[in-house]
Amino acid sequence: MFSLPVRSMSFQAAVAVLAVFLCGFLVWTAAGDTVTSKAAAATPGATPDATPGGGEGQYEGSTSPPPPLASASGSPSAPPTKVSSAVQAKPGRTEPGKWVSLTFDDGPWNTYTDEILAILKQYNVKAVFCMVGNQARDLPSEVQKVVADGHTLCNHTMSHDEQLSKKSPDEIRGQMQHALDAIGKASPGTPVPFYRAPGGGWSPLVQETAASLGMRSLGWSVDTEDWKKPGVDKAMATVSKQLGNSGIILMHDGGGDRKMSVDLLKKLVPQLIAEGYQFTIPA
């Protein structure tokens, strides 16, 4: 007489247990989704840009746009040795003495690159030329002249995008890779060991992307602000104030009218030699 009620009670208990289990599972799943969402929001791309003080200059380069970034080469094979992603702003020499590195941005450029090369050759000085990909594409013979004179090349993005640190990972990598492709087409096989961010737009992602492409991030410790055309004497005073016993000097061979930069270099190189500085490429 009592078998039916017993089975009914057992059935109700089983349903209750199953309901509790399902509720617990749904709560656990929702909590997991919340944790995943928080983790995604904390990715490196969401961190604020780490941009040191100082600016690199005004660029008045080619108006032609870079190729579509979506067509950039895929991830290259890893460099043979790990490349530091730290921004380097010292010549990298540990020997006693006064060491200085000269760097030129925004070229290559008609006339001004040739004039700067002539001055450097006169004093047997080697420098770093930070090239914009659009310029390298349009003036391949100038790239070849820089390489023929034994200078070092640096990637300065395809279109001198000063807001690059705020762009997507694909856009950042695309700008760097397109510039490498343009430089490589102008001078096949020439290494490009450095990357310099336009306008000093550094961020962890920018630096890590450059390192993944085998390039060290090249900063500076002396900004002549030659792009502002302050005059040779004022620019010389800036170098004297900022240089110390060693440093990396930022100048321009492209990006607009650089006659003052040429005049500055004519006076700067012999002055540095007279003060006992030795010229070197950042290590």
Side-chain angles (χ1 to χ4, degrees):
M1 292 176 61
F2 297 100
S3 58
L4 181 58
V6 171
R7 284 199 300 269
S8 178
M9 291 175 61
S10 299
F11 177 79
Q12 292 174 357
V15 170
V17 170
L18 180 60
V20 170
F21 173 81
L22 289 174
C23 289
F25 176 79
L26 291 173
V27 170
W28 176 81
T29 302
D33 289 342
T34 302
V35 171
T36 302
S37 298
K38 289 181 178 178
T43 56
T47 57
D49 291 339
T51 305
E56 180 256 333
Q58 182 179 18
Y59 177 74
E60 304 167 6
S62 170
T63 57
S64 57
L69 294 178
S71 67
S73 303
S75 299
S77 56
T81 56
K82 182 175 177 58
V83 177
S84 172
S85 62
V87 179
Q88 181 177 352
K90 295 291 183 182
R93 300 297 292 260
T94 58
E95 303 93 323
K98 300 165 74 175
W99 298 95
V100 64
S101 297
L102 296 179
T103 64
F104 298 91
D105 286 11
D106 298 355
W109 208 262
N110 283 321
T111 305
Y112 302 120
T113 298
D114 286 345
E115 292 180 4
I116 285 173
L117 287 174
I119 298 168
L120 296 175
K121 182 177 287 187
Q122 178 184 352
Y123 293 98
N124 194 29
V125 171
K126 304 303 180 188
V128 179
F129 284 78
C130 300
M131 296 187 172
V132 175
N134 279 336
Q135 295 301 119
R137 177 198 62 199
D138 295 343
L139 297 170
S141 63
E142 293 299 319
V143 179
Q144 294 158 14
K145 290 176 185 177
V146 171
V147 173
D149 280 1
H151 300 291
T152 300
L153 302 187
C154 171
N155 183 327
H156 204 36
T157 74
M158 189 65 190
S159 64
H160 200 272
D161 186 351
E162 295 188 13
Q163 302 300 314
L164 189 60
S165 64
K166 299 177 175 63
K167 303 296 177 63
S168 71
D170 285 345
E171 288 176 298
I172 292 171
R173 190 177 191 86
Q175 279 277 351
M176 293 182 189
Q177 185 64 60
H178 280 313
L180 287 174
D181 293 344
I183 295 169
K185 185 174 182 179
S187 183
T190 301
V192 183
F194 296 111
Y195 168 78
R196 172 169 282 169
W202 301 106
S203 74
L205 180 58
V206 165
Q207 293 156 227
E208 290 161 10
T209 303
S212 75
L213 292 170
M215 298 180 292
R216 285 166 284 169
S217 292
L218 182 62
W220 59 86
S221 57
V222 180
D223 186 356
T224 63
E225 295 191 329
D226 56 336
W227 63 277
K228 293 182 178 179
K229 305 179 182 67
V232 171
D233 291 342
K234 186 172 182 179
M236 289 288 291
T238 297
V239 174
S240 178
K241 179 180 179 181
Q242 296 181 4
L243 181 55
N245 284 330
S246 67
I248 296 175
I249 298 177
L250 169 62
M251 298 179 65
H252 293 78
D253 68 318
D257 179 357
R258 298 299 177 233
K259 183 179 184 304
M260 197 223 83
S261 301
V262 174
D263 292 339
L264 170 61
L265 190 66
K266 290 178 180 177
K267 188 172 182 179
L268 178 61
V269 172
Q271 180 65 34
L272 291 173
I273 292 172
E275 293 176 2
Y277 285 95
Q278 301 178 72
F279 294 89
T280 185
I281 299 300

